[in-house]
Amino acid sequence: MNKIKAVVVDDEINARENLQYLLKEFCEEIEVVSEASNVDEAVKVIEKNKPQIVFLDIEMPQKNGFQLLNEFSEINFQIIFITAYDIYAIKAFEVSAIDYLLKPIDIDRLKESVKKARKVINQNLDTSSRLELLKENKKEVKRIAIPYKSDYAIVNIEDVICIEADRMYSVIYTSKSKKYTVAKKLSYYEKLLCERGSFIRVHRSWIVNINEVNMYSKKEKEVTLKNQTKVSVSKTYKDSFETLFYN
């Protein structure tokens, strides 16, 4: 098996040692070729060793992990961010389809992250657009990366009309008359989008963009969207929908 070269960047020595131990024990395809305690050191070791993966802590003094991205004109390595729990930061990673690990690091999650990174490396996929999306979405989520063919489609959230559950999948309908079938449950997108106020779950099988509602029949308990899709509003979600819709 060809080893994947990696660099670990974290200001805490114990964190670097712990991650290297976990990688050695549970991710034998990874070879840690160097480590760094800050962004300036990281730039030097990355330029020298040319790793395929960089495990990058976000919360570091002086310069944070995000600022490392600004030091390179081209990001030709995969980044797995490491962070303490921050719900908004996590949401930015999710919508950008950029991988991350929470401290303390879970072994299964680590193995899954390495597996995904290896797939991207083997397929030679470009992650630059998703990294730009991550930086753009740090303050307010405006666009989302949706798995499409061998890479990702970047879609404005305001262009998402509705999302339909299809067993273990979700179908995302957009105003560009395009739809995407994604291997994620509807609950994933409910958690991701419904805090925005413009998205609401109206049925166990549907999330709609409130700005795309063209008509609501209270009698039929049915919404007609601007693309003429008709969506039932179930009893469970009726009150919350009507409160949002009428307010």
Side-chain angles (χ1 to χ4, degrees), residues 5 7 9 46 51-58 65-70 72 74-82 93 96-101 113-114 116-118 120-121 125 127-128 130-132 134-135:
K5 295 197 297 182
V7 165
V9 183
I46 290 170
Q52 295 159 287
I53 300 177
V54 173
F55 292 90
L56 179 61
D57 184 31
I58 294 177
F66 289 119
Q67 291 174 285
L68 177 71
L69 306 182
N70 299 326
F72 294 89
E74 180 182 3
I75 305 294
N76 52 13
F77 47 86
Q78 298 304 305
I79 298 176
I80 298 177
F81 285 98
I82 304 171
F93 292 129
S96 306
I98 295 294
D99 213 359
Y100 65 93
L101 295 169
S113 294
V114 168
K116 287 195 288 186
R118 185 177 67 235
V120 172
I121 292 167
L125 300 178
T127 60
S128 58
R130 281 174 279 144
L131 287 168
E132 288 301 315
L134 174 62
K135 290 190 287 184

Side-chain angles (χ1 to χ4, degrees), residues 8-234:
V8 174
V9 183
D10 196 306
D11 62 303
E12 297 179 2
I13 186 171
N14 289 341
R16 295 197 303 273
E17 290 177 347
N18 179 60
L19 178 55
Q20 290 185 67
Y21 168 78
L22 293 177
L23 290 169
K24 183 177 180 180
E25 289 294 312
F26 302 103
C27 304
E28 60 180 15
E29 67 268 48
I30 299 294
E31 178 187 4
V32 177
V33 294
S34 191
E35 61 179 68
S37 61
N38 57 59
V39 169
D40 292 335
E41 283 183 15
V43 171
K44 293 177 182 177
V45 299
I46 290 170
E47 289 177 342
K48 178 182 178 181
N49 293 280
K50 296 179 171 47
Q52 295 159 287
I53 300 177
V54 173
F55 292 90
L56 179 61
D57 184 31
I58 294 177
E59 297 85 9
M60 293 186 290
Q62 297 177 334
K63 295 179 181 178
N64 64 40
F66 289 119
Q67 291 174 285
L68 177 71
L69 306 182
N70 299 326
E71 301 291 334
F72 294 89
S73 57
E74 180 182 3
I75 305 294
N76 52 13
F77 47 86
Q78 298 304 305
I79 298 176
I80 298 177
F81 285 98
I82 304 171
T83 181
Y85 185 74
D86 181 301
I87 187 62
Y88 197 85
I90 298 308
K91 183 169 290 190
F93 292 129
E94 294 281 9
V95 299
S96 306
I98 295 294
D99 213 359
Y100 65 93
L101 295 169
L102 293 176
K103 293 181 177 180
I105 294 173
D106 177 78
I107 295 171
D108 290 336
R109 185 75 175 83
L110 173 63
K111 291 193 289 187
E112 181 63 25
S113 294
V114 168
K115 179 181 177 182
K116 287 195 288 186
R118 185 177 67 235
K119 179 180 177 181
V120 172
I121 292 167
N122 290 341
Q123 294 183 356
N124 197 29
L125 300 178
D126 180 27
T127 60
S128 58
S129 62
R130 281 174 279 144
L131 287 168
E132 288 301 315
L133 182 58
L134 174 62
K135 290 190 287 184
E136 176 185 314
N137 281 337
K138 277 194 299 177
K139 293 184 178 180
E140 181 183 359
V141 175
K142 295 181 178 179
R143 299 197 291 166
I144 185 170
I146 299 174
Y148 181 64
K149 295 184 178 179
S150 61
D151 207 337
Y152 289 82
I154 308 301
V155 175
N156 291 327
I157 287 182
E158 64 184 21
D159 290 334
V160 175
I161 296 175
C162 57
I163 307 175
E164 179 186 12
D166 182 9
R167 291 168 294 182
M168 301 298 290
Y169 295 82
S170 293
V171 182
I172 301 173
Y173 298 82
T174 75
S175 58
K176 307 299 182 184
S177 299
K178 201 167 187 73
K179 66 179 182 178
Y180 304 89
T181 300
V182 184
K184 291 184 181 294
K185 293 182 178 180
L186 193 65
S187 57
Y188 170 86
Y189 287 103
E190 180 180 22
K191 182 179 179 182
L192 204 62
L193 298 176
C194 288
E195 291 179 3
R196 288 177 55 85
S198 54
F199 288 87
I200 186 169
R201 191 162 185 167
V202 297
H203 190 275
R204 62 188 178 91
S205 298
W206 288 95
I207 291 171
V208 301
N209 183 341
I210 197 74
N211 297 316
E212 293 294 324
V213 173
N214 197 41
M215 185 180 298
Y216 171 55
S217 171
K218 195 168 184 178
K219 180 181 178 181
E220 301 295 332
K221 295 183 179 58
E222 184 179 76
V223 165
T224 302
L225 302 176
K226 291 178 181 178
N227 66 353
Q228 300 307 305
T229 298
K230 294 186 182 296
V231 177
S232 295
V233 179
S234 70

